[in-house]
Amino acid sequence: MSDELRRFKSEIFQALAHPTRIAIVETLRDGELSAGQVIEKLGLEQANASQHLATLRARQVVVNRKVGNQVFYSIRDPALIKVLDILRRYFYSQLSSTVSMLEEASQTAPSKTGHTRR
Amino acid sequence: MSDELRRFKSEIFQALAHPTRIAIVETLRDGELSAGQVIEKLGLEQANASQHLATLRARQVVVNRKVGNQVFYSIRDPALIKVLDILRRYFYSQLSSTVSMLEEASQTAPSKTGHTRR
DNA sequence: TGCGTATACTCAAGTATTCGAATATACTAG
DNA sequence: CTAGTATATTCGAATACTTGAGTATACGCA
């Protein structure tokens, strides 16, 4: 496989490699929002949000549309939502494995009630 | 959604946010390989490969298994392969959009498409 | 034991990201 | 034009990542 493709993929991953940017993408999951709405929903600093949005734009993860005074953002390709969904399931399988590992390790065995966060 | 979960997801993305690590994961796609085989297939420096493998291990993207002298790596969860496959398709759709955009732009008048580049 | 191979770790230099503060731009209303 | 709102950009300091060189550890064999 081409190195070009790998570089491209790594840029997508990098675009999503920050909790704030994941939060933004998930906030946009159900439709477009203005920058201000994103800021309000997530409680971000204006400048910070704008920078993260710029990163997402640069990697073409989101597209934007100007309406008067405001800029509305939306996810460019629903494939990315699918990726996030897969990772949500992945997270839970990871989590339960981690829990079993911890249980094994601490042989006092709190038996089975998973979901103790780390 | 919990910040915890977002942090976790961003760590997965970060694990894959480097072309070399994507190459490693894709090399492991069809089954486990020793570190040496990965190095040889991808033409990496030993130290560099080992560090990228350590990153993938830390984020639990791969698991390893010692057999005598060697350490064999494999992908921990096939969901990640699915993610890479989705991104491959995503890449091609991105690519064609980008090509159309470039074609449009290279005509004489960009006139009306709001998207003023910076 | 001692040697050779396979892999991992440490360190430092270079590079890239992140953040908040300050500032700049674009639009609307009056 | 002026003022106000919405969003973007620039800057510098702090932090994190990447790399190669060197070194360390673990295993197998004699």
Side-chain angles (χ1 to χ4, degrees):
Chain A
M1 166 175 319
S2 84
D3 197 44
E4 176 86 20
L5 177 45
R6 270 188 224 121
R7 218 180 340 264
F8 171 80
K9 283 183 186 172
S10 72
E11 277 179 18
I12 304 282
F13 283 120
Q14 194 166 11
L16 296 171
H18 193 283
T20 301
R21 290 196 293 269
I22 291 190
I24 291 174
V25 170
E26 286 174 343
T27 298
L28 294 177
R29 197 203 147 95
D30 302 321
E32 73 175 6
L33 292 175
S34 71
Q37 289 174 312
V38 170
I39 288 166
E40 198 211 356
K41 274 187 124 175
L42 299 176
L44 304 174
E45 296 255 338
Q46 188 271 326
N48 194 7
S50 195
Q51 298 202 65
H52 283 304
L53 284 168
T55 299
L56 292 171
R57 242 185 299 132
R59 308 298 209 278
Q60 314 243 60
V61 168
V62 301
V63 290
N64 58 336
R65 172 172 88 90
K66 267 187 115 154
V67 176
N69 216 1
Q70 294 164 285
V71 180
F72 287 86
Y73 284 90
S74 54
I75 297 175
R76 169 160 168 167
D77 192 313
L80 290 179
I81 292 175
K82 204 189 273 183
V83 167
L84 289 173
D85 286 347
I86 290 172
L87 284 177
R88 173 154 36 218
R89 289 197 290 279
Y90 177 78
F91 171 73
Y92 288 116
S93 75
Q94 281 283 88
L95 187 60
S96 37
S97 316
T98 304
V99 169
S100 339
M101 256 172 28
L102 290 176
E103 282 172 358
E104 253 175 62
S106 68
Q107 38 74 284
T108 359
S111 53
K112 38 148 33 136
T113 44
H115 292 229
T116 348
R117 309 166 318 91
R118 72 158 105 101
Chain B
M1 168 178 313
S2 85
D3 197 45
E4 178 84 19
L5 177 45
R6 271 187 223 120
R7 223 186 331 270
F8 171 80
K9 282 185 187 171
S10 73
E11 279 179 18
I12 304 282
F13 283 119
Q14 193 165 11
L16 296 171
H18 194 283
T20 301
R21 291 196 293 269
I22 290 189
I24 290 174
V25 170
E26 285 174 343
T27 299
L28 294 177
R29 197 202 148 97
D30 302 321
E32 71 175 8
L33 292 175
S34 71
Q37 289 174 311
V38 170
I39 288 167
E40 198 210 357
K41 276 188 122 175
L42 299 176
L44 304 175
E45 297 257 336
Q46 188 272 325
N48 195 6
S50 195
Q51 305 227 75
H52 283 305
L53 285 169
T55 299
L56 291 171
R57 242 186 299 130
R59 307 298 210 279
Q60 314 243 59
V61 168
V62 301
V63 290
N64 57 337
R65 172 173 88 89
K66 271 188 112 154
V67 176
N69 216 2
Q70 294 162 285
V71 179
F72 287 87
Y73 283 89
S74 54
I75 297 175
R76 168 158 169 170
D77 191 313
L80 291 178
I81 292 175
K82 204 188 274 184
V83 167
L84 290 172
D85 285 347
I86 290 173
L87 285 177
R88 172 153 39 217
R89 289 196 291 280
Y90 178 75
F91 171 73
Y92 288 115
S93 75
Q94 280 284 86
L95 188 60
S96 37
S97 316
T98 304
V99 168
S100 340
M101 254 172 30
L102 290 175
E103 280 171 0
E104 252 178 63
S106 64
Q107 326 246 305
T108 10
S111 58
K112 56 181 318 192
T113 49
H115 293 221
T116 336
R117 308 251 350 113
R118 56 162 146 222

